[in-house]
PDB file of all heavy atoms in Angstrom:
ATOM      1  N   LEU A  15      -3.820 -10.065 -11.433  1.00 94.00           N
ATOM      2  CA  LEU A  15      -2.713  -9.112 -11.521  1.00 94.00           C
ATOM      3  C   LEU A  15      -2.345  -8.563 -10.149  1.00 94.00           C
ATOM      4  O   LEU A  15      -1.166  -8.416  -9.813  1.00 94.00           O
ATOM      5  CB  LEU A  15      -3.079  -7.968 -12.468  1.00 94.00           C
ATOM      6  CG  LEU A  15      -3.191  -8.314 -13.947  1.00 94.00           C
ATOM      7  CD1 LEU A  15      -3.737  -7.120 -14.727  1.00 94.00           C
ATOM      8  CD2 LEU A  15      -1.836  -8.744 -14.505  1.00 94.00           C
ATOM      9  N   VAL A  31      16.009 -10.095   3.434  1.00 95.00           N
ATOM     10  CA  VAL A  31      15.958 -10.119   4.895  1.00 95.00           C
ATOM     11  C   VAL A  31      16.414 -11.459   5.449  1.00 95.00           C
ATOM     12  O   VAL A  31      17.121 -11.520   6.467  1.00 95.00           O
ATOM     13  CB  VAL A  31      14.524  -9.790   5.370  1.00 95.00           C
ATOM     14  CG1 VAL A  31      14.384 -10.035   6.862  1.00 95.00           C
ATOM     15  CG2 VAL A  31      14.184  -8.342   5.058  1.00 95.00           C
ATOM     16  N   LEU A  34      20.254 -12.697   2.112  1.00 96.00           N
ATOM     17  CA  LEU A  34      21.239 -11.828   1.453  1.00 96.00           C
ATOM     18  C   LEU A  34      21.820 -10.776   2.403  1.00 96.00           C
ATOM     19  O   LEU A  34      23.005 -10.452   2.308  1.00 96.00           O
ATOM     20  CB  LEU A  34      20.602 -11.150   0.241  1.00 96.00           C
ATOM     21  CG  LEU A  34      20.111 -12.092  -0.869  1.00 96.00           C
ATOM     22  CD1 LEU A  34      19.551 -11.278  -2.028  1.00 96.00           C
ATOM     23  CD2 LEU A  34      21.244 -12.991  -1.340  1.00 96.00           C
ATOM     24  N   ALA A  41      30.272 -10.286   5.017  1.00 94.00           N
ATOM     25  CA  ALA A  41      31.339  -9.921   4.088  1.00 94.00           C
ATOM     26  C   ALA A  41      31.977  -8.586   4.463  1.00 94.00           C
ATOM     27  O   ALA A  41      33.180  -8.393   4.280  1.00 94.00           O
ATOM     28  CB  ALA A  41      30.788  -9.862   2.665  1.00 94.00           C
ATOM     29  N   PRO A  44      33.077  -9.320   9.317  1.00 94.00           N
ATOM     30  CA  PRO A  44      32.838 -10.653   9.874  1.00 94.00           C
ATOM     31  C   PRO A  44      33.052 -10.724  11.382  1.00 94.00           C
ATOM     32  O   PRO A  44      32.385 -11.512  12.064  1.00 94.00           O
ATOM     33  CB  PRO A  44      33.847 -11.536   9.129  1.00 94.00           C
ATOM     34  CG  PRO A  44      34.882 -10.601   8.614  1.00 94.00           C
ATOM     35  CD  PRO A  44      34.169  -9.314   8.344  1.00 94.00           C
ATOM     36  N   ALA A  45      33.941  -9.894  11.918  1.00 93.00           N
ATOM     37  CA  ALA A  45      34.204  -9.955  13.355  1.00 93.00           C
ATOM     38  C   ALA A  45      33.059  -9.377  14.172  1.00 93.00           C
ATOM     39  O   ALA A  45      32.832  -9.796  15.313  1.00 93.00           O
ATOM     40  CB  ALA A  45      35.509  -9.218  13.674  1.00 93.00           C
ATOM     41  N   TRP A  77      -3.952   9.481  -5.393  1.00 92.00           N
ATOM     42  CA  TRP A  77      -5.232   8.849  -5.677  1.00 92.00           C
ATOM     43  C   TRP A  77      -6.334   9.892  -5.869  1.00 92.00           C
ATOM     44  O   TRP A  77      -7.164   9.787  -6.780  1.00 92.00           O
ATOM     45  CB  TRP A  77      -5.601   7.906  -4.542  1.00 92.00           C
ATOM     46  CG  TRP A  77      -7.028   7.461  -4.536  1.00 92.00           C
ATOM     47  CD1 TRP A  77      -8.026   7.887  -3.721  1.00 92.00           C
ATOM     48  CD2 TRP A  77      -7.634   6.489  -5.397  1.00 92.00           C
ATOM     49  NE1 TRP A  77      -9.206   7.261  -4.015  1.00 92.00           N
ATOM     50  CE2 TRP A  77      -8.994   6.396  -5.038  1.00 92.00           C
ATOM     51  CE3 TRP A  77      -7.146   5.692  -6.435  1.00 92.00           C
ATOM     52  CZ2 TRP A  77      -9.864   5.538  -5.683  1.00 92.00           C
ATOM     53  CZ3 TRP A  77      -8.038   4.836  -7.076  1.00 92.00           C
ATOM     54  CH2 TRP A  77      -9.371   4.758  -6.700  1.00 92.00           C
ATOM     55  N   SER A  80      -5.633  11.433  -9.431  1.00 89.00           N
ATOM     56  CA  SER A  80      -5.635  10.618 -10.649  1.00 89.00           C
ATOM     57  C   SER A  80      -6.485   9.362 -10.551  1.00 89.00           C
ATOM     58  O   SER A  80      -6.619   8.650 -11.549  1.00 89.00           O
ATOM     59  CB  SER A  80      -4.200  10.206 -10.988  1.00 89.00           C
ATOM     60  OG  SER A  80      -3.672   9.355  -9.977  1.00 89.00           O
ATOM     61  N   LEU A  96      17.692   0.539  -7.461  1.00 97.00           N
ATOM     62  CA  LEU A  96      18.824   1.389  -7.090  1.00 97.00           C
ATOM     63  C   LEU A  96      19.347   1.042  -5.696  1.00 97.00           C
ATOM     64  O   LEU A  96      20.567   1.070  -5.453  1.00 97.00           O
ATOM     65  CB  LEU A  96      18.398   2.862  -7.140  1.00 97.00           C
ATOM     66  CG  LEU A  96      18.002   3.406  -8.514  1.00 97.00           C
ATOM     67  CD1 LEU A  96      17.530   4.842  -8.395  1.00 97.00           C
ATOM     68  CD2 LEU A  96      19.171   3.295  -9.493  1.00 97.00           C
ATOM     69  N   HIS A 102      24.813  -3.701  -2.874  1.00 96.00           N
ATOM     70  CA  HIS A 102      25.851  -4.544  -3.471  1.00 96.00           C
ATOM     71  C   HIS A 102      27.207  -3.842  -3.471  1.00 96.00           C
ATOM     72  O   HIS A 102      28.247  -4.463  -3.213  1.00 96.00           O
ATOM     73  CB  HIS A 102      25.447  -4.920  -4.890  1.00 96.00           C
ATOM     74  CG  HIS A 102      26.522  -5.603  -5.664  1.00 96.00           C
ATOM     75  ND1 HIS A 102      27.140  -6.768  -5.235  1.00 96.00           N
ATOM     76  CD2 HIS A 102      27.106  -5.276  -6.859  1.00 96.00           C
ATOM     77  CE1 HIS A 102      28.050  -7.138  -6.117  1.00 96.00           C
ATOM     78  NE2 HIS A 102      28.055  -6.242  -7.106  1.00 96.00           N
ATOM     79  N   GLY A 105      30.809  -0.934   0.824  1.00 92.00           N
ATOM     80  CA  GLY A 105      32.043  -1.566   1.281  1.00 92.00           C
ATOM     81  C   GLY A 105      32.332  -1.373   2.742  1.00 92.00           C
ATOM     82  O   GLY A 105      33.295  -1.934   3.269  1.00 92.00           O
ATOM     83  N   ALA A 109      28.018   2.911   4.615  1.00 96.00           N
ATOM     84  CA  ALA A 109      27.413   2.810   3.281  1.00 96.00           C
ATOM     85  C   ALA A 109      26.301   1.769   3.268  1.00 96.00           C
ATOM     86  O   ALA A 109      25.259   1.961   2.617  1.00 96.00           O
ATOM     87  CB  ALA A 109      28.488   2.467   2.253  1.00 96.00           C
ATOM     88  N   ILE A 112      23.121   3.203   5.053  1.00 97.00           N
ATOM     89  CA  ILE A 112      22.438   4.176   4.199  1.00 97.00           C
ATOM     90  C   ILE A 112      21.687   3.472   3.071  1.00 97.00           C
ATOM     91  O   ILE A 112      20.546   3.818   2.747  1.00 97.00           O
ATOM     92  CB  ILE A 112      23.455   5.184   3.636  1.00 97.00           C
ATOM     93  CG1 ILE A 112      24.021   6.053   4.761  1.00 97.00           C
ATOM     94  CG2 ILE A 112      22.805   6.066   2.563  1.00 97.00           C
ATOM     95  CD1 ILE A 112      25.157   6.947   4.318  1.00 97.00           C
ATOM     96  N   GLN A 118      14.453   0.468   2.450  1.00 97.00           N
ATOM     97  CA  GLN A 118      13.222   0.530   3.231  1.00 97.00           C
ATOM     98  C   GLN A 118      12.263   1.566   2.663  1.00 97.00           C
ATOM     99  O   GLN A 118      11.050   1.353   2.619  1.00 97.00           O
ATOM    100  CB  GLN A 118      13.537   0.859   4.696  1.00 97.00           C
ATOM    101  CG  GLN A 118      14.104  -0.289   5.501  1.00 97.00           C
ATOM    102  CD  GLN A 118      13.048  -1.317   5.871  1.00 97.00           C
ATOM    103  OE1 GLN A 118      11.910  -1.282   5.395  1.00 97.00           O
ATOM    104  NE2 GLN A 118      13.426  -2.252   6.721  1.00 97.00           N
ATOM    105  N   MET A 124       6.162   1.043  -2.159  1.00 97.00           N
ATOM    106  CA  MET A 124       5.338   0.077  -2.880  1.00 97.00           C
ATOM    107  C   MET A 124       4.269  -0.530  -1.987  1.00 97.00           C
ATOM    108  O   MET A 124       3.117  -0.719  -2.408  1.00 97.00           O
ATOM    109  CB  MET A 124       6.221  -1.035  -3.462  1.00 97.00           C
ATOM    110  CG  MET A 124       7.149  -0.592  -4.557  1.00 97.00           C
ATOM    111  SD  MET A 124       7.969  -1.990  -5.380  1.00 97.00           S
ATOM    112  CE  MET A 124       9.012  -2.602  -4.050  1.00 97.00           C
ATOM    113  N   ALA A 133      -8.649  -1.865  -0.614  1.00 88.00           N
ATOM    114  CA  ALA A 133      -9.853  -1.137  -0.215  1.00 88.00           C
ATOM    115  C   ALA A 133     -10.446  -0.346  -1.369  1.00 88.00           C
ATOM    116  O   ALA A 133     -11.669  -0.198  -1.472  1.00 88.00           O
ATOM    117  CB  ALA A 133      -9.529  -0.201   0.946  1.00 88.00           C
ATOM    118  N   ARG A 143     -12.379 -13.439  -0.364  1.00 90.00           N
ATOM    119  CA  ARG A 143     -11.754 -14.309  -1.368  1.00 90.00           C
ATOM    120  C   ARG A 143     -10.385 -13.773  -1.784  1.00 90.00           C
ATOM    121  O   ARG A 143      -9.416 -14.523  -1.880  1.00 90.00           O
ATOM    122  CB  ARG A 143     -12.674 -14.421  -2.586  1.00 90.00           C
ATOM    123  CG  ARG A 143     -12.080 -15.198  -3.750  1.00 90.00           C
ATOM    124  CD  ARG A 143     -13.141 -15.455  -4.811  1.00 90.00           C
ATOM    125  NE  ARG A 143     -13.742 -14.228  -5.287  1.00 90.00           N
ATOM    126  CZ  ARG A 143     -13.251 -13.499  -6.299  1.00 90.00           C
ATOM    127  NH1 ARG A 143     -12.147 -13.909  -6.914  1.00 90.00           N
ATOM    128  NH2 ARG A 143     -13.853 -12.407  -6.699  1.00 90.00           N
ATOM    129  N   SER A 151       1.309 -15.188  -0.575  1.00 95.00           N
ATOM    130  CA  SER A 151       2.470 -14.306  -0.767  1.00 95.00           C
ATOM    131  C   SER A 151       3.658 -14.714   0.099  1.00 95.00           C
ATOM    132  O   SER A 151       4.808 -14.663  -0.357  1.00 95.00           O
ATOM    133  CB  SER A 151       2.081 -12.852  -0.480  1.00 95.00           C
ATOM    134  OG  SER A 151       1.520 -12.732   0.820  1.00 95.00           O
ATOM    135  N   ALA A 159      13.400 -16.877  -1.998  1.00 95.00           N
ATOM    136  CA  ALA A 159      14.675 -16.862  -1.274  1.00 95.00           C
ATOM    137  C   ALA A 159      15.517 -18.071  -1.638  1.00 95.00           C
ATOM    138  O   ALA A 159      16.740 -17.970  -1.806  1.00 95.00           O
ATOM    139  CB  ALA A 159      14.417 -16.815   0.232  1.00 95.00           C
ATOM    140  N   PRO A 165      22.546 -22.560  -6.670  1.00 92.00           N
ATOM    141  CA  PRO A 165      23.916 -22.604  -7.212  1.00 92.00           C
ATOM    142  C   PRO A 165      24.060 -21.958  -8.583  1.00 92.00           C
ATOM    143  O   PRO A 165      25.158 -21.592  -8.993  1.00 92.00           O
ATOM    144  CB  PRO A 165      24.205 -24.104  -7.279  1.00 92.00           C
ATOM    145  CG  PRO A 165      23.302 -24.720  -6.264  1.00 92.00           C
ATOM    146  CD  PRO A 165      22.058 -23.886  -6.272  1.00 92.00           C
ATOM    147  N   ILE A 185       5.524  -7.590 -10.353  1.00 97.00           N
ATOM    148  CA  ILE A 185       4.832  -6.322 -10.109  1.00 97.00           C
ATOM    149  C   ILE A 185       4.534  -5.598 -11.419  1.00 97.00           C
ATOM    150  O   ILE A 185       3.522  -4.902 -11.541  1.00 97.00           O
ATOM    151  CB  ILE A 185       5.672  -5.430  -9.171  1.00 97.00           C
ATOM    152  CG1 ILE A 185       5.854  -6.123  -7.819  1.00 97.00           C
ATOM    153  CG2 ILE A 185       5.018  -4.066  -8.975  1.00 97.00           C
ATOM    154  CD1 ILE A 185       6.818  -5.413  -6.890  1.00 97.00           C
ATOM    155  N   ALA A 230     -47.208  24.236  40.074  1.00 50.00           N
ATOM    156  CA  ALA A 230     -47.055  23.487  41.336  1.00 50.00           C
ATOM    157  C   ALA A 230     -46.383  24.321  42.406  1.00 50.00           C
ATOM    158  O   ALA A 230     -46.682  24.192  43.589  1.00 50.00           O
ATOM    159  CB  ALA A 230     -46.229  22.218  41.081  1.00 50.00           C
TER     160      ALA A 230
END
Side-chain angles (χ1 to χ4, degrees):
L15 291 173
V31 170
L34 298 182
W77 165 256
S80 65
L96 296 177
H102 171 57
I112 293 173
Q118 284 285 9
M124 292 189 293
R143 175 171 57 88
S151 55
I185 298 172

